Amino acid sequence: EAVKIGDTTIPMQEIMEKIQLKIGDIVEKDIGTGKAGSAAIKEFGIYVVQPGDNIWNVHFRFLQSYFEKKNVPISPLADEPKDHGTSSGVGKILKFSENIVYIYNIDKRALDIDLNMIHPQTKLVIYNMDRVFGLLDQIDYERVNRIEFDGETLWIPAEN
């Protein structure tokens, strides 16, 4: 498979190998065919950055779409902070999602480390769908506002 943006075509295998190396996996290639073995990410989603996008809104639209398919309505303001300034449960999920995406710079043909600098038609947002669905499928949507996030891990505290 390959991704074509404008005049540039990038084999997905090239992107997946860069992601594997970034997360510390070994990239193995068959000596006879030169093809890499199974990628670390079995399922992935790709989004081409458009004018006016920022990483937060890209994640939020993705999350809204996922919830729609589960018949769970998400308010357009669900990611806004609560009255006392702390993040909403949806906001915490969005912040966590920054840990499970990769930004691919089409011009440099490399992973980009700055999630805040996404430029239209030059960057791809690559979602690790295995981790995304693994996380989202476990969420109790009735308790989403109880979600906690410590910068690395999401959890729902036990009720007393």
Side-chain angles (χ1 to χ4, degrees):
E1 295 178 45
V3 178
K4 182 171 174 59
I5 310 297
D7 295 332
T8 306
T9 300
I10 302 162
M12 276 310 298
Q13 189 62 45
E14 178 181 322
I15 296 171
M16 302 294 22
E17 286 175 10
K18 290 180 187 324
I19 291 172
Q20 281 182 268
L21 292 171
K22 179 176 176 69
I23 61 176
D25 281 353
I26 297 171
V27 176
E28 299 177 9
K29 292 190 177 184
D30 183 283
I31 294 174
T33 65
K35 293 187 177 188
S38 61
I41 301 173
K42 303 292 185 235
E43 294 183 52
F44 50 87
I46 300 171
Y47 178 79
V48 179
V49 176
Q50 301 299 312
D53 278 344
N54 63 53
I55 197 68
W56 190 266
N57 291 339
V58 169
H59 289 331
F60 188 62
R61 285 192 307 267
F62 176 83
L63 195 60
Q64 278 183 310
S65 175
Y66 176 84
F67 284 147
E68 278 178 20
K69 289 182 175 107
K70 297 277 189 181
N71 294 319
V72 176
I74 297 294
S75 160
L77 302 176
D79 64 328
E80 296 297 320
K82 298 176 189 175
D83 291 337
H84 52 280
T86 60
S87 294
S88 67
V90 171
K92 291 173 186 172
I93 293 170
L94 292 172
K95 191 66 180 160
F96 174 78
S97 71
E98 291 179 3
N99 297 322
I100 56 177
V101 299
Y102 302 94
I103 306 299
Y104 186 82
N105 185 316
I106 297 165
D107 294 337
K108 295 179 182 175
R109 293 184 84 107
L111 293 178
D112 212 325
I113 54 175
D114 189 353
L115 286 177
N116 297 311
M117 299 296 292
I118 57 174
H119 302 286
Q121 304 294 316
T122 65
K123 305 260 178 112
L124 299 174
V125 179
I126 312 292
Y127 288 91
N128 178 339
M129 301 307 283
D130 299 326
R131 287 190 68 199
V132 170
F133 291 144
L135 166 71
L136 294 177
D137 288 345
Q138 293 180 42
I139 293 175
D140 177 352
Y141 302 106
E142 300 297 319
R143 299 174 7 164
V144 72
N145 281 325
R146 295 191 62 233
I147 288 176
E148 296 292 333
F149 176 61
D150 66 6
E152 191 172 308
T153 305
L154 276 179
W155 75 94
I156 296 178
E159 292 184 54
N160 293 331

